Amino acid sequence: MRKSIAICGLDCETCDAYLATLNDDQALREKTAKAWSEMNQVTILPEQINCQGCRGDGVKTVFCESLCEIRGCALSKGYETCGACPDMAACPTVGAIISDNEEALKNLKG
């Protein structure tokens, strides 16, 4: 499984924070900070839009690093991804992602 596949099965290579970091794209950081601030009703600054992927080494967004319940759960259980968890199919936490995203589910079942 590619390192760009997140613990929840999403592909980090399609994430604006990942792309902004990879390409050092300040305009994309600013656009993403604005969109995420509106979506989450919190202030997110462009300098917070830096991420090298959920499972990769390096910097992560504040959410991915410490607020993501899915990532926290998998790491606490020692799983590289939710696909390794025997409870994945019935899990409401990762279910929020995989119930609406066939690609993420496919990535986890890989």
Side-chain angles (χ1 to χ4, degrees):
M1 178 181 303
R2 292 186 342 256
K3 273 288 196 191
S4 65
I5 300 301
I7 288 171
C8 65
L10 292 175
D11 188 345
C12 293
E13 290 181 7
T14 65
C15 175
D16 286 342
Y18 180 88
L19 293 170
T21 304
L22 183 69
N23 298 308
D24 195 20
D25 185 336
Q26 187 61 23
L28 183 55
R29 281 188 185 98
E30 291 171 9
K31 176 184 167 195
T32 304
K34 182 178 183 209
W36 288 7
S37 292
E38 291 171 4
M39 180 174 60
N40 295 295
Q41 299 178 343
V42 297
T43 300
I44 299 173
L45 303 172
E47 55 266 24
Q48 295 173 304
I49 304 297
N50 289 292
C51 193
Q52 293 175 319
C54 172
R55 295 187 312 124
D57 294 331
V59 68
K60 291 162 189 29
T61 65
V62 171
F63 178 81
C64 295
E65 179 70 36
S66 57
L67 300 175
C68 178
E69 290 180 38
I70 297 168
R71 185 172 186 271
C73 177
L75 292 177
S76 74
K77 293 178 179 179
Y79 298 134
E80 187 173 354
T81 71
C82 292
C85 181
D87 301 323
M88 181 183 78
C91 177
T93 306
V94 76
I97 301 290
I98 61 176
S99 66
D100 293 332
N101 191 314
E102 277 186 44
E103 188 69 24
L105 180 59
K106 180 182 166 189
N107 288 337
L108 292 174
K109 289 185 173 183

